[in-house]
Amino acid sequence: MTVLSADDHRDIRVLTGRGAHLGDAQMACLIVPDEFRRLATEFPILFRPNATRDRIDAYALMGFENGENLFLSGDRWDARYVPMAMDAAPLQIGHGPAGAQVHLDLAHPRIATGVDGIRLFDDLGRPSPWLEAAIQRLGQFDAGFVAMPDFIATLRRYDLLEPTTIEVTLNDGSTNRLVGYHAVNEEKLRALDGPALGELHAAGHLMPLFMAVASLGNIGKLVARKNG
């Protein structure tokens, strides 16, 4: 990763299509609560601890095996929404002594090697419209990522997260089993009293919670995609 700058990356071009060869073959994508409403119509929303188990994040489930994205059909994206983190690649937000900075992954498959793709900057060093839009998405994503621990702390306070195992038997008799994920407990969410619901609503957590619950209905749709 390198800090994005017009001086160093003026001639860099980015491939903006979709496809496995462009890094889109992901079973799950990191997401933030601000986009749950748009995600819930397409993807199951689940939660998972990181490798060191000191943080829990949210993910949009796109497949049942590593490297499987059932919303990809060749170079076509078969969903009405692309998660912000995926849509902004190969850019990421990094945090350092100078604060938040936009970083560029020069090893990402979206970096064009020829004349194809969209330039990040014009000849005068001004950001292209694609770059401006990508940076805006990154800013929204970063704000949600920074706020995520507070969101998770609230869920834990009301015991709304529960471990879940997803076991899917396909038409060919094979079984896919996903472990290590958590989901929002709908029964406990609906049982919360008025003050608790008021607190969740005031903090902006209530709508994402119900969207996460509603999104679990997409597991059946994902199985149908897997069955073809």
Side-chain angles (χ1 to χ4, degrees):
M1 284 288 186
T2 182
V3 176
L4 180 69
S5 74
D7 290 337
D8 295 334
H9 306 118
R10 187 167 302 187
D11 297 324
I12 293 290
R13 293 176 179 267
V14 171
L15 301 170
T16 59
R18 306 249 71 97
H21 65 293
L22 296 175
D24 292 334
Q26 303 177 32
M27 184 184 85
C29 181
L30 187 67
I31 57 175
V32 293
D34 284 350
E35 55 183 336
F36 280 13
R37 188 167 189 167
R38 287 163 288 177
L39 291 157
T41 61
E42 306 277 356
F43 313 99
I45 296 172
L46 298 170
F47 300 83
R48 188 180 180 95
N50 63 5
T52 55
R53 306 192 70 82
D54 60 355
R55 179 185 172 107
I56 293 178
D57 282 303
Y59 291 85
L61 188 66
M62 300 176 181
F64 297 108
E65 303 175 62
N66 287 332
E68 176 182 68
N69 186 337
L70 296 170
F71 293 89
L72 275 181
S73 179
D75 61 357
R76 187 171 66 90
W77 181 256
D78 189 23
R80 288 165 289 183
Y81 181 73
V82 181
M84 286 191 286
M86 181 178 286
D87 206 25
L91 302 177
Q92 294 183 19
I93 291 286
H95 291 268
Q101 296 175 308
V102 178
H103 288 210
L104 176 65
D105 182 1
L106 291 171
H108 197 281
R110 289 194 176 277
I111 299 295
T113 56
V115 296
D116 294 332
I118 294 176
R119 286 182 63 177
L120 297 179
F121 300 95
D122 65 17
D123 290 335
L124 298 177
R126 296 173 298 196
S128 68
W130 181 89
L131 178 57
E132 288 181 336
I135 290 175
Q136 182 179 21
R137 287 192 296 274
L138 276 177
Q140 294 172 350
F141 179 84
D142 185 59
F145 186 79
V146 170
M148 192 69 178
D150 179 64
F151 179 73
I152 294 297
T154 303
L155 269 61
R156 283 177 157 169
R157 185 161 65 252
Y158 291 108
D159 196 26
L160 294 176
L161 278 184
E162 62 177 355
T164 185
T165 297
I166 299 174
E167 189 164 315
V168 175
T169 300
L170 303 175
N171 290 345
D172 62 6
S174 63
T175 299
N176 289 108
R177 192 167 186 265
L178 298 181
V179 297
Y181 286 96
H182 292 68
V184 176
N185 186 311
E186 181 178 1
E187 184 177 342
K188 289 183 178 180
L189 176 60
R190 292 188 180 277
L192 291 178
D193 59 18
L197 292 172
E199 179 190 344
L200 290 170
H201 176 68
H205 298 332
L206 194 58
M207 177 64 77
L209 282 171
F210 277 108
M211 291 297 101
V213 168
S215 77
L216 298 180
N218 293 320
I219 293 176
K221 298 177 184 178
L222 202 60
V223 173
R225 286 177 179 270
K226 179 75 170 176
N227 280 322

